[in-house]
Amino acid sequence: QAQLVESGGGLVQPGGSLRLSCAASGFTLEYYAIGWFRQAPGKEREGVSCINSGDDSTYYTASVEGRFTISRDNAKNTVYLQMTSLKPEDTAVYYCATGPYWSGGYCPFPRFGSWGQGTQVTVSS
C-alpha cells in the first residue's frame, strides 16, 4: 500500500530547529515532486515548500524562505524539511504530499495530494 509517513515534529523553543521527515512506502519518491504543507488551528492548510522531481529544484513560501530547507535522500526514499529559527507562528501540523513536476518557478500546491497523517510542530517558550 502506497503511503507517506511524516515524523520529527515536537515542542521547540523560539529560535530552535527541527528536521521533519517524509518517508514513502510502496512507491519511489524520486519520481514525484514532494510538498510540505502545514495547518494551524482554525486556519486553512497552506503550502510551505516543494522539491521537484528530476532536477530537485526547490520552492519556498515567503514566510519560511531563508529558514527552511527541503531536501531528498533517494536511497532512503525520504524527503526532509530542515526548519531553523523557528517562530511561534510556525506552530502547526505539518504534512507531506506528492505532486506533479512543475516549471515556471512556482510550486503548484493545489495539485498535490496523497497526504500523510501529519506531525505536530509546536514552537513555544
Side-chain angles (χ1 to χ4, degrees):
Q1 182 178 356
Q3 63 177 350
L4 294 171
V5 178
E6 301 93 338
S7 63
L11 173 63
V12 63
Q13 292 185 341
S17 300
L18 282 174
R19 188 179 77 161
L20 306 184
S21 299
C22 171
S25 61
F27 69 102
T28 303
L29 262 185
E30 70 175 297
Y31 301 132
Y32 296 85
I34 301 299
W36 280 100
F37 298 74
R38 65 187 180 187
Q39 187 167 21
K43 295 187 177 181
E44 295 186 354
R45 185 157 48 192
E46 64 169 342
V48 173
S49 179
C50 294
I51 186 165
N52 217 342
S53 57
D55 62 10
D56 283 353
S57 55
T58 58
Y59 174 86
Y60 301 92
T61 195
S63 61
V64 307
E65 189 159 18
R67 300 189 297 122
F68 291 10
T69 303
I70 191 170
S71 62
R72 65 166 85 226
D73 185 335
N74 292 331
K76 295 183 178 180
N77 213 24
T78 299
V79 168
Y80 302 99
L81 185 69
Q82 178 69 49
M83 306 186 296
T84 64
S85 301
L86 283 163
K87 305 175 181 180
E89 52 263 43
D90 294 318
T91 295
V93 178
Y94 282 71
Y95 302 87
C96 60
T98 58
Y101 176 84
W102 83 86
S103 60
Y106 181 79
C107 180
F109 288 122
R111 297 176 62 190
F112 280 66
S114 300
W115 308 94
Q117 85 291 345
T119 186
Q120 176 71 48
V121 172
T122 303
V123 184
S124 175
S125 55

